[in-house]
Amino acid sequence: MGTVTAPAPEVERTNRQLEYIGLLPSMYGVGLWTSLPCPPELLADIILVNHMRATATDVPLFAQHQHSSAVDLLKRIMAFSVEDWAATINPYPQPKSSDKTVIQRQSELLGWQRVAYIYQSAVALYCISALLPPDFNTNNTQTTSDIDVSLLQSSCRKALLQDLRDVASNPNSDLRKYLMWPTVIAGVELDAGDDTSKTFILEELGWASKVFGTASLLVAQDLLKRIWNSGSTKTKRWDDLFDRPYAFVM
């Protein structure tokens, strides 16, 4: 995941990552026993975005093809079925004699659906910001006529922030601590003048730093402050936001 919040990665590195896609089902499963419960389908999409960043070119003929491929990848990300993934989740198997109520099970299911929606929004935003910047979309409207990238980006930003807030506001949920990577992505994507959301993001990272006993999330705070103070992220290339690779997965 350190390849995401980093300058443009080397092709060799992303080629090695591509080899992991076929191994994800056996190595990663559904991700519940890691600190990154990102659905494996979306994790594979992150790897594909990384590779497309590494192989990007300004040569018009190839750039147009890459743009079309990025749009197809974005459609794939948004077509991911959150409900189907969440329906397979049973992190705490119960014996047949369990008195766990249907309502409790439904509550757990909704919680994991929200986690999946959060990761879906974060991955979509990464894909858009890294591969489909506004200036390129403006010049290539013919290839995006069936998808409004700017509108989708705005929608994902709002949904991601709202879902993160909803999870954080639930004192009985353990899901909050699994969402640091999407929280950082939400921070990178914030509007420059959204001070309320900035405060929320910084508080979440500070809370998680105490819970996990790690300083890496304090580094994330400093990184986001630097990005925010440098001006609007909407006018900068994703690769230019980072001076070195940063990894924010516990």
Side-chain angles (χ1 to χ4, degrees), residues 156-184:
C156 285
R157 283 172 174 162
K158 292 178 181 178
L160 177 57
L161 277 171
Q162 187 58 56
D163 283 336
L164 287 172
R165 286 192 173 100
D166 288 344
V167 172
S169 67
N170 184 353
N172 299 319
S173 175
D174 291 328
L175 300 178
R176 183 181 178 190
K177 61 186 178 182
Y178 297 121
L179 303 175
M180 291 306 102
W181 182 81
T183 299
V184 172

Side-chain angles (χ1 to χ4, degrees), residues 54 89 91 155 166 170 199 210 212 219 250:
I89 301 303
S155 176
D166 288 344
N170 184 353
T199 298
K210 293 179 181 178
F212 290 113
V219 174
M250 300 301 100

Side-chain angles (χ1 to χ4, degrees), residues 71-90:
V71 171
D72 289 341
L73 178 55
L74 178 59
K75 292 178 181 178
R76 166 177 150 154
I77 293 168
M78 298 312 300
F80 169 72
S81 176
V82 166
E83 291 77 10
D84 288 350
W85 177 81
T88 67
I89 301 303
N90 188 17

